[in-house]
């Protein structure tokens, strides 16, 4: 039988640490070799115990779980690090992934998900797993693809005022063809076929707060 996965648990709440320890000690392939309540304690314990996987809370009194991830990654790529958090928003997911974590699990997830993440971290410490990663990446891609430049936003506001390409060009000291090029780019980014669709989409995603009645053609 292979050696069990040695796990270090890091959380500033003892009850949470003990709860996780109880869950993991039930697994035949896992052994909790230490616990810590802060970043400083975690790094000392890591140096002393050489665990295969560290499971760390994101928010700690003297720093964050990402500080632990970065410190471990400076030393080696072979230790798995799973980040736990009460606040599992997109920003936290991407921050954990970019820091070099092996996994990211919300504290509201079933305990089995933490166990699975720890097993993954032991086998593949530099690949990242998170239940919400695919959706977060889709949201980020959508956000990036609809990001307008400052000039495009100026053109969008004038479109919302009902101005056509020639009038927008005059307002912004652009040629009519350049104004049309900006309008076409806005349509492309917003996935719109015409001015009305572009303005509806812009309002839906927060690029516009209101739209004036259109009195002039786009041109």
């Amino acid at each position: 039988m292979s050696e069990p996965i040695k796990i270090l648990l890091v959380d500033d709440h003892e009850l949470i640490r003990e709860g996780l320890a109880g869950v993991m000690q039930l697994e035949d392939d896992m052994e909790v070799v230490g616990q810590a309540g802060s970043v400083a304690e975690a790094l000392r314990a890591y140096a002393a115990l050489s665990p295969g996987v560290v499971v760390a809370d994101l928010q700690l009194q003297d720093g964050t779980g990402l500080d632990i991830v970065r410190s471990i990654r400076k030393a080696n790529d072979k230790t798995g690090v799973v980040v736990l958090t009460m606040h599992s928003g997109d920003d936290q997911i991407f921050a954990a992934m970019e820091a070099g974590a092996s996994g990211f699990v919300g504290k509201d997830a079933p305990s089995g998900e933490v166990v699975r993440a720890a097993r993954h971290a032991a086998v593949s410490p530099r690949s990242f797993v998170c239940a919400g990663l695919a959706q977060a990446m889709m949201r980020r891609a959508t956000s990036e693809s609809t990001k307008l430049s400052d000039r495009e936003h100026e053109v969008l506001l004038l479109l919302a005022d009902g101005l056509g390409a020639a009038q927008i060009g005059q307002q912004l000291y652009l040629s009519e063809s350049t104004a049309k090029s900006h309008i076409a780019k806005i349509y492309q980014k917003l996935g719109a076929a015409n001015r009305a669709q572009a303005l509806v989409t812009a309002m839906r995603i927060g690029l516009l707060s209101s739209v004036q009645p259109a009195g002039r053609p786009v041109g």
Side-chain angles (χ1 to χ4, degrees):
M1 183 176 176
S2 60
E3 288 288 315
I5 302 166
K6 294 182 178 180
I7 296 176
L8 170 65
L9 299 175
V10 186
D11 197 294
D12 53 4
H13 291 91
E14 185 178 357
L15 283 175
I16 293 177
R17 294 200 308 269
E18 291 295 340
L20 284 170
V23 168
M24 291 183 170
Q25 295 287 27
L26 293 174
E27 304 297 322
D28 293 338
D29 60 343
M30 293 186 176
E31 178 188 0
V32 176
V33 295
Q35 298 185 25
S38 67
V39 173
E41 284 181 14
L43 295 179
R44 286 195 296 270
Y46 174 75
L49 301 169
S50 299
V53 174
V54 178
V55 179
D57 187 17
L58 183 61
Q59 299 297 333
L60 298 164
Q61 292 180 352
D62 60 342
T64 74
L66 301 187
D67 296 325
I68 296 171
V69 175
R70 294 186 190 103
S71 293
I72 289 175
R73 283 291 165 259
K74 285 180 183 176
N76 70 70
D77 285 342
K78 296 180 180 178
T79 303
V81 189
V82 177
V83 176
L84 298 180
T85 181
M86 289 292 293
H87 309 288
S88 53
D90 292 358
D91 289 345
Q92 288 83 5
I93 291 173
F94 289 122
M97 182 170 66
E98 290 159 8
S102 316
F104 183 96
V105 182
K107 284 187 175 178
D108 56 350
S111 58
E113 194 170 318
V114 183
V115 171
R116 285 191 294 274
R119 285 200 180 102
H120 160 84
V123 174
S124 187
R126 286 314 308 263
S127 66
F128 184 75
V129 293
C130 170
L133 180 60
Q135 295 89 335
M137 292 188 77
M138 287 178 66
R139 286 189 291 269
R140 173 181 270 193
T142 300
S143 173
E144 290 297 324
S145 67
T146 57
K147 190 175 291 184
L148 302 184
S149 68
D150 291 343
R151 177 62 84 190
E152 288 164 354
H153 195 255
E154 289 176 333
V155 172
L156 177 67
L157 293 176
L158 294 175
L159 281 175
D161 286 339
L163 274 64
Q167 294 160 317
I168 289 172
Q170 290 171 1
Q171 287 269 0
L172 299 178
Y173 303 101
L174 304 171
S175 68
E176 183 175 351
S177 62
T178 299
K180 285 183 176 180
S181 177
H182 284 307
I183 292 169
K185 191 69 174 176
I186 291 168
Y187 288 179
Q188 178 187 343
K189 288 186 176 182
L190 299 182
N194 54 46
R195 173 188 179 279
Q197 289 181 9
L199 297 183
V200 168
T201 300
M203 288 186 68
R204 179 171 55 81
I205 64 177
L207 294 176
L208 287 175
S209 57
S210 64
V211 176
Q212 299 297 322
R216 292 173 287 271
V218 173

